[in-house]
Amino acid sequence: MRGKSIEEFEVGQVDVSRARTITETDLRNFSGVSGDTNPMHLNEEFARATPFKCTIVHGMLSASLISAVIGTKLPGPGCIYMSQTLKFMAPVRIGDTVYAVATVKSLVPEKHRVVLDTKCYVKDTVVIDGEALIKVPSKSS
């Protein structure tokens, strides 16, 4: 099973392949796996005293949906995730549905690289804005 080759990309190509409604179980599991036990995510009483007034989802939990888009759809299996920038624009709360979107921003065909604009949304609000650099195969390799 292989993803797209460099020859199959066009600037502006979009894939929305991952949406997830974040549950408390997701949050707790992510905390356990990552070791991030910041009370901002886990302790409602603590979080009430913050600017958000309630617990918020780990930013990296939401960002992991971008990885799912890249690894399964655009470009898909066989690609190599080289770098990712992330700007956390708004909080995600338990019960929010996060949509990850990847759009081909530019191509570097001679190096088999694709630059993706990556975003996560809750409804119409951008909660994460970023850019990924991905290495993809060529049809000839």
Side-chain angles (χ1 to χ4, degrees):
M1 177 188 251
R2 287 205 136 232
K4 293 176 176 59
S5 65
I6 190 68
E7 295 84 3
E8 297 175 87
F9 286 96
E10 294 178 18
V11 172
Q13 189 174 349
V14 178
D15 200 312
V16 181
S17 71
R18 196 68 180 151
R20 182 167 183 93
T21 301
I22 307 296
T23 66
E24 180 152 353
T25 300
D26 293 330
L27 185 138
R28 298 221 175 259
N29 286 341
F30 185 85
S31 179
V33 168
S34 69
D36 183 348
T37 59
N38 182 337
M40 171 68 76
H41 307 300
L42 302 169
N43 183 309
E44 196 66 43
E45 185 178 337
F46 176 90
R48 270 196 294 270
T50 71
F52 301 112
K53 304 297 183 209
C54 66
T55 57
I56 59 171
V57 173
H58 301 77
M60 295 306 287
L61 173 54
S62 297
S64 72
L65 299 177
I66 296 168
S67 179
V69 171
I70 290 169
T72 64
K73 298 290 183 182
L74 187 69
C79 70
I80 300 170
Y81 210 145
M82 298 181 70
S83 67
Q84 175 76 57
T85 61
L86 298 169
K87 294 178 190 168
F88 298 98
M89 310 294 289
V92 174
R93 294 177 171 83
I94 293 170
D96 284 346
T97 300
V98 179
Y99 298 87
V101 179
T103 305
V104 177
K105 186 174 182 178
S106 64
L107 302 169
V108 187
E110 65 279 6
K111 292 192 173 192
H112 301 192
R113 290 180 177 48
V114 177
V115 178
L116 299 172
D117 177 63
T118 56
K119 290 186 177 16
C120 288
Y121 296 88
V122 172
K123 297 181 182 166
D124 293 331
T125 300
V126 176
V127 295
I128 299 174
D129 188 14
E131 184 177 281
L133 177 64
I134 311 299
K135 183 173 182 174
V136 296
S138 170
K139 283 184 180 177
S140 62
S141 38

